[in-house]
Amino acid sequence: MRPDWDEYFMKVAKLVATRSTCLRRQVGAVAVREKRILATGYNGAPIGLKHCEELGCLRKRLGIPSGERQELCRAVHAEQNVIIQAAKLGISLDNATLYITHFPCYTCAKLLINAGIKRIVYEEDYPDEFAKRILEEAKITTEKLQLPNDK
């Protein structure tokens, strides 16, 4: 069966996540407007720097729980990489939908608000209540999408 558009773009986000070099969580994101992909991103070290696959996970070494102290991470988040890729290519994300494998953290939520994202479709939750609150306050629609196993 043919997937609907939300399923299709979420599957693309999941494929993008396979490029992630994070040892804890592989995240993929796809920005879309009018059924066209604008930019993609996954979490990993900045361009030209060693990945956590090579160096190990600083957060694990320090015993930092998921959802806390995101600044103590070598990786650029998938959402950040979507915004960066779009900026480098001169593409506006205004009124776009972001399909992402995991709900954004607080820092990424702020960036997505300012980038003009209007809708976020995600599959996995992320333990960050502040992010949920500010996205709600900014009137950004968030929708959890569970992909069917048979598609």
Side-chain angles (χ1 to χ4, degrees):
M1 278 180 39
R2 190 172 182 207
D4 68 27
W5 287 108
D6 283 344
E7 291 171 353
Y8 172 76
F9 289 120
M10 184 59 74
K11 286 181 178 188
V12 173
K14 289 177 75 127
L15 180 61
V16 171
T18 65
R19 293 282 307 148
S20 170
T21 58
C22 181
L23 299 174
R24 280 185 148 188
R25 178 176 288 135
Q26 286 68 50
V27 181
V30 179
V32 174
R33 189 176 45 242
E34 297 174 6
K35 299 177 185 163
R36 301 288 181 259
I37 294 174
L38 304 173
T40 65
Y42 55 86
N43 55 332
I47 294 170
L49 300 186
K50 290 185 178 182
H51 296 282
C52 297
E53 293 172 325
E54 301 169 70
L55 299 174
C57 179
L58 174 64
R59 294 174 56 80
K60 184 176 181 179
R61 272 198 311 273
L62 297 175
I64 299 170
S66 185
E68 297 179 17
R69 304 289 315 265
Q70 291 96 349
E71 76 279 6
L72 294 177
C73 179
R74 189 168 185 82
V76 178
H77 289 190
E79 305 93 321
Q80 295 166 355
N81 274 323
V82 163
I83 294 167
I84 293 164
Q85 184 183 83
K88 285 179 81 170
L89 297 173
I91 298 169
S92 170
L93 297 179
D94 219 26
N95 295 311
T97 294
L98 185 73
Y99 292 87
I100 186 157
T101 56
H102 296 74
F103 196 88
C105 72
Y106 182 66
T107 300
C108 289
K110 292 186 291 185
L111 295 172
L112 294 169
I113 292 166
N114 280 2
I117 297 291
K118 293 300 177 198
R119 178 176 175 241
I120 297 171
V121 180
Y122 66 99
E123 187 175 40
E124 301 287 332
D125 288 311
Y126 184 75
D128 195 329
E129 288 303 314
F130 292 120
K132 290 176 185 164
R133 283 191 222 144
I134 65 165
L135 290 169
E136 192 174 289
E137 183 181 341
K139 297 182 180 15
I140 293 176
T141 303
T142 61
E143 299 170 31
K144 186 170 184 171
L145 174 68
Q146 195 64 50
L147 290 177
N149 291 330
D150 59 339
K151 289 189 178 179

